């Protein structure tokens, strides 16, 4: 089959690799219809996140059709259109029962093979899905393929980021980063009742989308977010900061913008060894800091009814729909924010 594979920093190849095969009785093979390129793929692409084997099939956002099942798979069937969270989960371990399937004891991240161990990703013609019955969900009625793709990762992640921020209608919120995840965090915050949301980025297309979803935009290269937030709030800062970047600069901005007693809710993936703020600063801000991998399988199920209502134009964030064969270019334009790129979806 053809796939997008990792070969070192900023080197993705479109190449021929062996087809995946059923390895365990709980596996299925999915014929991929759509796959997303995610900001998380960029950490690997730029070499900030290390350890991935050369030749690993990239990607953890996909939807498609089951074409083959292991003999223990009964609840989902051949021919069914399914969507997936970005990690697999067993559905019954301690963490799955705690609504934290992203930390399932037997779970694996798609698109992560290290020292020969792990799971290939979904930016390919086919993908093997272990623990398939508890990981995959059939695409429900009135949910578009692209909406299901977003539910599997970034819509769930953005909503999770907002959910950790204890949103109230009276509060003031700052979303740092208006990539796909930040934009979905704005939608999540709106849905949870936020009325005052400041969205911070510098890329015009992304700020325009943030505005479309109901936020007030701050281009941080033109005005100081701290000044805007200080002037605009009684508490001298945001009740919660939703950080959707994953960099030391964004972390620094978050601690500066949050008011004493506020929350920093972090969806951005961090690869640094140390916090950019000190324990003393956290103490002096009476800070609550929440961070981590989104339990996407939990949110996917919960957010289906919201997607079915079509209240938000989620797929408006997808700027590029490319054939899988053009995926290498997809990485380049998404990484370098070229051609007004906000989100890339590839089609095998
Ligand atoms: P992206 O790279 O498209 O978006 C990041 C945005 O942040 C860009 O628009 C960029 O201009 C902006 N930005 C960069 N530095 C900034 C700064 N200092 N201040 C304000 N804005 C700044 O990526 P994405 O797909 O939106 O993903 C965002 C983050 O979410 C990544 O770190 C990704 O790994 C992470 N993520 C986490 C989870 C999870 O489970 N927690 C899931 C998916 C993605
Ligand atoms: Zn992702």
């Amino acid at each position: 089959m053809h796939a997008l594979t990792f070969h070192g920093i900023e080197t993705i190849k479109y190449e021929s690799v062996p087809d995946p095969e059923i390895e365990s009785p709980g596996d299925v093979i999915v014929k991929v219809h759509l796959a997303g390129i995610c900001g998380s793929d960029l950490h690997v692409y730029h070499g900030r996140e290390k350890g991935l084997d050369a030749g690993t099939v990239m990607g953890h956002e996909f939807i498609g059709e089951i074409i083959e099942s292991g003999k223990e798979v009964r609840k989902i069937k051949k021919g069914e259109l399914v969507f997936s969270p970005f990690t697999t989960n067993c559905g019954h371990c301690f963490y799955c029962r705690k609504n934290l399937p992203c930390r399932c004891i037997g779970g694996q991240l798609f698109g992560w093979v290290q020292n020969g161990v792990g799971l290939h990703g979904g930016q390919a013609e086919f993908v093997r899905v272990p623990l398939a019955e508890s990981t995959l969900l059939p695409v429900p009625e009135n949910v578009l393929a692209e909406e299901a793709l977003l539910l599997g990762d970034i819509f769930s992640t953005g909503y999770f980021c907002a959910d950790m921020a204890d949103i109230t209608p009276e509060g003031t919120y700052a979303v740092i980063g208006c990539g796909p995840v930040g934009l979905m965090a704005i939608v999540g915050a709106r849905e949870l009742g936020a009325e005052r949301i400041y969205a911070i980025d510098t890329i015009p297309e992304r700020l325009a989308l943030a505005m479309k979803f109901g936020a007030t935009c701050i281009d941080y290269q033109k005005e100081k977010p701290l000044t805007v937030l200080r002037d605009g709030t009684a508490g001298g800062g945001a009740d919660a900061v939703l950080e959707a970047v994953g960099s030391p600069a964004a972390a620094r901005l978050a601690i500066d913008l949050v008011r004493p007693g506020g929350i920093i809710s972090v969806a951005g993936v961090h690869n640094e060894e140390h916090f950019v703020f000190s324990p003393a600063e956290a103490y002096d801000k009476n800070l609550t800091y929440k961070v981590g991998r989104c339990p996407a399988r939990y949110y996917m199920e919960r957010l289906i009814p919201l997607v079915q209502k079509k209240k938000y134009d989620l797929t408006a964030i997808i700027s590029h729909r490319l054939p899988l064969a053009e995926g290498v270019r997809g990485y380049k334009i998404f990484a370098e924010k070229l051609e007004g790129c906000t989100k890339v979806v590839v089609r095998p």
Side-chain angles (χ1 to χ4, degrees), residues 22 27-33 62-70 73-83 126-127 129 132-133 136-139:
I22 299 283
D27 291 358
V28 303
I29 304 296
V30 169
K31 179 175 195 278
V32 177
H33 289 188
F62 63 90
I63 77 146
E65 177 193 336
I66 298 178
I67 54 152
E68 207 187 330
S69 308
V73 180
R74 286 180 196 94
K75 283 197 278 183
I76 43 177
K77 298 201 163 52
K78 209 169 143 172
E80 205 156 9
L81 188 63
V82 287
F83 67 124
F126 304 99
V127 58
V129 182
E133 280 192 345
L136 298 172
L137 276 175
V139 177

Side-chain angles (χ1 to χ4, degrees), residues 33-317:
H33 289 188
L34 293 176
I37 302 180
C38 178
S40 296
D41 296 322
L42 298 183
H43 293 297
V44 175
Y45 180 76
H46 290 303
R48 290 188 293 263
E49 203 171 0
K50 296 179 174 65
L52 199 68
D53 288 357
T56 300
V57 177
M58 294 289 291
H60 52 263
E61 301 179 358
F62 63 90
I63 77 146
E65 177 193 336
I66 298 178
I67 54 152
E68 207 187 330
S69 308
K71 55 180 183 301
E72 277 172 17
V73 180
R74 286 180 196 94
K75 283 197 278 183
I76 43 177
K77 298 201 163 52
K78 209 169 143 172
E80 205 156 9
L81 188 63
V82 287
F83 67 124
S84 181
F86 53 95
T87 58
T88 62
N89 57 269
C90 73
H92 55 74
C93 73
F94 177 84
Y95 292 105
C96 284
R97 282 186 278 117
K98 286 266 182 221
N99 294 333
L100 208 58
C102 55
R103 296 295 167 201
C104 171
I105 287 164
Q108 287 175 290
L109 173 64
F110 287 99
W112 194 271
V113 179
Q114 186 166 9
N115 301 323
V117 183
L119 192 56
H120 286 288
Q123 290 163 7
E125 289 180 87
F126 304 99
V127 58
R128 181 176 72 90
V129 182
L131 304 171
E133 280 192 345
S134 42
T135 296
L136 298 172
L137 276 175
V139 177
E141 241 176 60
N142 209 19
V143 171
L144 300 171
E146 287 183 350
E147 290 171 331
L149 183 76
L150 300 181
L151 265 172
D153 183 354
I154 59 162
F155 183 39
S156 289
T157 300
Y159 192 95
F160 159 69
C161 185
D163 205 16
M164 292 194 293
D166 290 359
I167 305 275
T168 64
E170 303 74 40
T172 298
Y173 302 96
V175 176
I176 304 180
C178 299
V181 173
L183 291 168
M184 295 295 100
I186 294 169
V187 172
R190 282 280 306 283
E191 185 56 24
L192 290 164
E195 287 171 9
R196 284 227 297 170
I197 307 168
Y198 290 97
I200 305 164
D201 205 303
T202 192
I203 300 174
E205 304 78 43
R206 294 177 181 221
L207 288 171
L209 282 165
M211 196 145 72
K212 173 182 156 81
F213 290 128
T216 303
C217 295
I218 304 176
D219 178 338
Y220 69 89
Q221 286 182 344
K222 292 193 180 139
E223 50 183 343
K224 282 210 163 74
L226 189 58
T227 312
V228 179
L229 265 288
R230 275 207 181 130
D231 293 349
T233 53
D239 295 280
V241 178
L242 286 61
E243 193 258 272
V245 180
S247 75
R252 185 64 246 171
L253 185 57
I255 187 86
D256 291 339
L257 294 183
V258 72
R259 69 159 168 82
I263 297 171
I264 297 179
S265 170
V266 182
V269 171
H270 284 267
N271 300 291
E272 310 90 64
E273 286 199 12
H274 300 285
F275 283 101
V276 296
F277 56 86
S278 67
E281 273 182 289
Y283 179 90
D284 287 343
K285 281 238 161 150
N286 282 48
L287 179 68
T288 301
Y289 188 89
K290 304 187 191 180
V291 60
R293 180 186 279 173
C294 170
R297 181 59 171 76
Y298 167 73
Y299 279 99
M300 274 160 61
E301 206 158 341
R302 211 175 127 188
L303 293 174
I304 287 171
L306 176 60
V307 171
Q308 286 172 321
K309 274 195 243 161
K310 311 287 175 196
K311 195 166 155 192
Y312 305 96
D313 185 7
L314 303 180
T315 60
I317 68 163

